[in-house]
Amino acid sequence: GRAWLPSGPAGAVAEKELRYMLRNTATLLNLGVPLILIAFFAVTWNLPRNRPEFFARLPSLAFPAGVGYMFLLVAQMSHNCFGYDGRGIQTLFFSPARFREILFGKNFSLAIVLVVETSLVWLLISLLVAPPDAVIVVITLPALAFAALVHWIAGNWLSVQFPRRFEFG
C-alpha cells in the first residue's frame, strides 16, 4: 500500500494528486517531454560532428542541464496546485484537516514526481552520454532541492491567492 506516503490527510491528498496525475494525459505528456528530448539530444550529440563543444569537453554537465530542463516543466505544476480540484476546492476549505496538511500532501506528491523524474534523467544521461561525476550530482541535487522549495513557496501562495481550475476539453 501506502507505506511510503505520509499518514493522515496529507497522505490521502498526496495519493489523490498522484492518481489525478496518472489519469491526465496532458500531465503525463508534460512529464515525458523532458525525458524524450534528453534522449533525443543525447543520441544526436553522440555523433562526434554533432556534439556541441560545451558537452564534448564536459560531458558530466549534461546531468545538471537535463535536470534544469526537466525542472522547468515540472516546477510549473506547483503554481496551480488546486487546478485538479475545480469546484471541489470548497470541500478542502471546509474539511476537518488543517490546510497546511492539504498543502503538504500536494507538495509531497510533487516531490515524488521530482524524485522520479530526476532519477530517470540520471539514468538516461548515464546510459546515453556518460555517468555524471559524483561531485556534479552532489552539487546538482541540493540546488534542485533549493529551487523546488522556492517554487513550492511561491506556488502555494499563488495557488491560495489565485486558484484556477483546469479546463479539460
Side-chain angles (χ1 to χ4, degrees):
R2 296 179 20 176
W4 49 277
L5 289 174
S7 62
V13 170
E15 183 178 2
K16 176 194 75 89
E17 289 294 311
L18 291 172
R19 287 181 189 270
Y20 279 18
M21 282 183 211
L22 291 174
R23 280 190 350 202
N24 188 341
T25 310
T27 302
L28 286 177
L29 184 62
N30 198 25
L31 294 175
V33 164
L35 303 173
I36 293 167
L37 286 177
I38 288 169
F40 172 76
F41 286 123
V43 169
T44 303
W45 290 345
N46 267 343
L47 304 173
R49 69 185 195 304
N50 291 341
R51 182 173 287 188
E53 185 65 26
F54 181 72
F55 289 121
R57 283 184 282 144
L58 300 166
S60 63
L61 291 182
F63 177 66
V67 167
Y69 179 67
M70 175 271 306
F71 184 72
L72 286 175
L73 294 177
V74 173
Q76 65 184 331
M77 295 169 66
S78 70
H79 296 168
N80 186 17
C81 68
F82 296 115
Y84 293 124
D85 297 318
R87 294 185 181 181
I89 194 169
Q90 299 94 318
T91 59
L92 294 177
F93 288 126
F94 292 114
S95 72
R98 296 174 123 180
F99 205 70
R100 82 170 98 185
E101 291 176 319
I102 292 168
L103 281 175
F104 176 73
K106 290 180 176 288
N107 291 335
F108 189 81
S109 66
L110 289 175
I112 290 170
V113 169
L114 203 57
V115 166
V116 168
E117 288 276 320
T118 303
S119 302
L120 292 173
V121 167
W122 180 85
L123 182 66
L124 278 173
I125 296 294
S126 295
L127 293 174
L128 300 176
V129 178
D133 298 335
V135 172
I136 295 292
V137 173
V138 167
I139 291 171
T140 303
L141 294 181
L144 178 64
F146 174 75
L149 287 174
V150 169
H151 271 273
W152 288 333
I153 290 168
N156 288 341
W157 183 80
L158 287 170
S159 297
V160 170
Q161 295 295 323
F162 309 105
R164 271 187 348 256
R165 70 182 170 116
F166 289 125
E167 300 292 336
F168 299 111

